[in-house]
Amino acid sequence: MSSAPTKKVRVQESSSVTFFERKAFKFTWTIKEFSSWTAEIGSCMQQSAVFPSGKEESIQWALQFYPQCRKGIPFCELYLTMLKCPGKQLNTKFRFTMQNSKKEILVSVDYIEHRFVDTMAYGHSQIGDNDFLVDKTKHDDVLIITCEIEAKVRLVHENNQSTNNDQPAPPSSIADDFGALVDGQRFGDVTVKVGDKRFRVYKGILASRSPVFAAMFEHTMKEKIKSVVTIVDVEPDVFHELLRYIYTDKVQNLTALAYQLFAAADKYDIGTLKTLCRMSILANISTENATDALKCADLHLDSEMKRHTLGFLRKNSGSLLAMTETAGWKAFELTFPHLAIEVLKAIVKS
């Protein structure tokens, strides 16, 4: 007797995807007559307008700005406050930027994965040197504060019924494709000569990422100069990584090149690369290289790097006292006496 045929069972397949729904906010606060405003306000808190405006908004924020630090030192304080949220709790990342009306970035600070609960404020107690901000805005006395926020609004679960036609989206290759331009010599519309090396680059890409390159190429076109630009104050390997970042938002050998890339990013006004280099420098700071970080911060007017470095030295004053007896310190003291004084003050405060 033959066995009965096995009945086929149709399997219905389905899938589920869980992800955070994100919402982005951007707010710009323009303060006119900044020098007189900050002198009059002093260390009193000033709150910005609520953003986004409208009673129907489910999430609202405001900035709290102290033009002068409440601790009596010449630094500003800036905080982000969550005023309204359906769940009373929100995970965010956000960025503060201060610039003048010429769009020169004076301060840029990133905050990654911070949790706001109720109306808690979070930010920076010494975000920028007040005298520095007043000096850098003196041409028209305008300070522009920008806050960019990305919030994880809620956790979403999506169920998807699968079909035979379902096809996964192909992975993006744009970073790799643009990365190939870094070493490519066949195309490009201008040559940049750095030391003994030549780089074929695209003016449009460089100009879109750097206002300094934009001005350089515009001048070159107006003057009808031959399409070769010579750069003399950047090493070829540093310029190579600068190009990589411009094309792909990525950097290789960041730890080794952090100081040189920071200087190049400052020269060509690429704020995000400066932040990346600053983070690398501060992540690898030690009593042996802290004076290098101080010199870099002083040369490029980076109050954020200087503040963090002096804070590190205060916490490690025991090791620092021994370092002040070395020949290296003596040379530093002679060449940068104003920085040496700040370091010694940090030791005294500790």
Side-chain angles (χ1 to χ4, degrees):
M1 179 184 242
S2 61
S3 59
T6 303
K7 185 177 181 180
K8 291 185 178 180
V9 179
R10 182 174 178 269
V11 178
Q12 185 174 0
E13 296 184 8
S14 61
S15 63
S16 175
V17 178
T18 300
F19 61 92
F20 278 106
E21 179 185 346
R22 301 173 187 268
K23 192 170 184 179
F25 307 85
K26 184 175 182 179
F27 177 70
T28 301
W29 186 5
T30 301
I31 302 174
K32 298 182 178 180
E33 299 181 0
F34 175 67
S35 59
S36 57
W37 183 82
T38 186
E40 181 177 344
I41 299 303
S43 60
C44 296
M45 187 270 286
Q46 294 294 301
Q47 182 163 299
S48 72
V50 175
F51 66 94
S53 59
K55 294 182 179 180
E56 72 283 356
E57 297 291 342
S58 60
I59 302 173
Q60 289 184 316
W61 311 85
L63 298 181
Q64 294 179 350
F65 186 35
Y66 298 81
Q68 297 180 25
C69 184
R70 291 169 289 176
K71 298 178 182 178
I73 52 181
F75 283 89
C76 301
E77 298 181 55
L78 183 61
Y79 302 93
L80 174 63
T81 305
M82 185 179 72
L83 301 179
K84 183 179 176 184
C85 178
K88 303 297 183 183
Q89 181 173 299
L90 208 59
N91 289 329
T92 68
K93 59 181 179 179
F94 61 98
R95 171 184 294 169
F96 288 147
T97 304
M98 290 183 173
Q99 57 186 4
N100 55 27
S101 60
K102 295 180 179 179
K103 304 302 181 184
E104 296 173 337
I105 296 178
L106 311 178
V107 177
S108 180
V109 185
D110 291 310
Y111 300 85
I112 301 174
E113 294 300 322
H114 183 74
R115 177 176 295 178
F116 282 85
V117 180
D118 293 325
T119 56
M120 179 176 65
Y122 188 78
H124 214 298
S125 61
Q126 296 181 30
I127 192 169
D129 186 300
N130 181 272
D131 294 336
F132 169 71
L133 295 176
V134 170
D135 179 66
K136 287 297 182 179
T137 57
K138 63 185 179 183
H139 64 282
D140 61 358
D141 213 10
V142 172
L143 178 70
I144 302 170
I145 302 173
T146 302
C147 179
E148 299 173 82
I149 309 167
E150 183 181 295
K152 295 178 180 177
V153 179
R154 64 190 179 98
L155 195 62
V156 179
H157 304 280
E158 283 190 355
N159 293 319
N160 300 314
Q161 194 75 23
S162 65
T163 68
N164 291 333
N165 294 326
D166 287 345
Q167 295 291 333
S172 174
S173 63
I174 188 169
D176 293 335
D177 295 340
F178 273 77
L181 300 178
V182 178
D183 299 304
Q185 295 295 323
R186 292 180 57 196
F187 304 107
D189 49 17
V190 67
T191 297
V192 177
K193 184 180 178 183
V194 186
D196 59 351
K197 292 190 176 182
R198 291 173 176 258
F199 301 86
R200 291 291 294 172
V201 303
Y202 295 83
K203 288 185 289 189
I205 296 178
L206 269 63
S208 67
R209 300 278 274 170
S210 162
V212 177
F213 276 124
M216 178 192 302
F217 294 138
E218 184 179 12
H219 175 74
T220 301
M221 292 172 65
K222 285 182 178 178
E223 299 296 328
K224 297 182 180 178
I225 299 174
K226 188 178 180 180
S227 289
V228 177
V229 176
T230 300
I231 294 177
V232 297
D233 53 356
V234 179
E235 292 297 320
D237 57 337
V238 177
F239 187 79
H240 189 255
E241 290 308 312
L242 181 72
L243 274 186
R244 189 188 311 280
Y245 183 81
I246 287 174
Y247 286 139
T248 69
D249 259 1
K250 296 179 181 179
V251 176
Q252 295 179 2
N253 304 319
L254 177 58
T255 302
L257 296 174
Y259 285 97
Q260 295 166 285
L261 270 176
F262 183 92
D266 186 51
K267 172 183 172 66
Y268 293 105
D269 195 9
I270 306 176
T272 51
L273 180 56
K274 279 185 65 178
T275 299
L276 194 66
C277 293
R278 182 193 300 115
M279 292 172 64
S280 176
I281 290 170
L282 295 178
N284 294 283
I285 198 167
S286 66
T287 51
E288 288 75 21
N289 62 24
T291 53
D292 293 329
L294 272 180
K295 289 185 286 186
C296 180
D298 188 66
L299 178 62
H300 298 283
L301 303 177
D302 192 314
S303 58
E304 181 71 10
M305 187 188 298
K306 180 182 283 189
R307 186 184 68 82
H308 277 282
T309 304
L310 290 174
F312 169 83
L313 292 174
R314 276 195 295 271
K315 293 178 182 177
N316 295 272
S317 56
S319 302
L320 185 62
L321 284 171
M323 187 187 75
T324 57
E325 300 300 322
T326 64
W329 170 263
K330 300 301 181 185
F332 172 75
E333 196 173 26
L334 288 173
T335 310
F336 302 92
H338 62 293
L339 293 179
I341 291 172
E342 292 192 58
V343 172
L344 295 174
K345 286 182 178 179
I347 297 176
V348 171
K349 285 183 180 179
S350 66

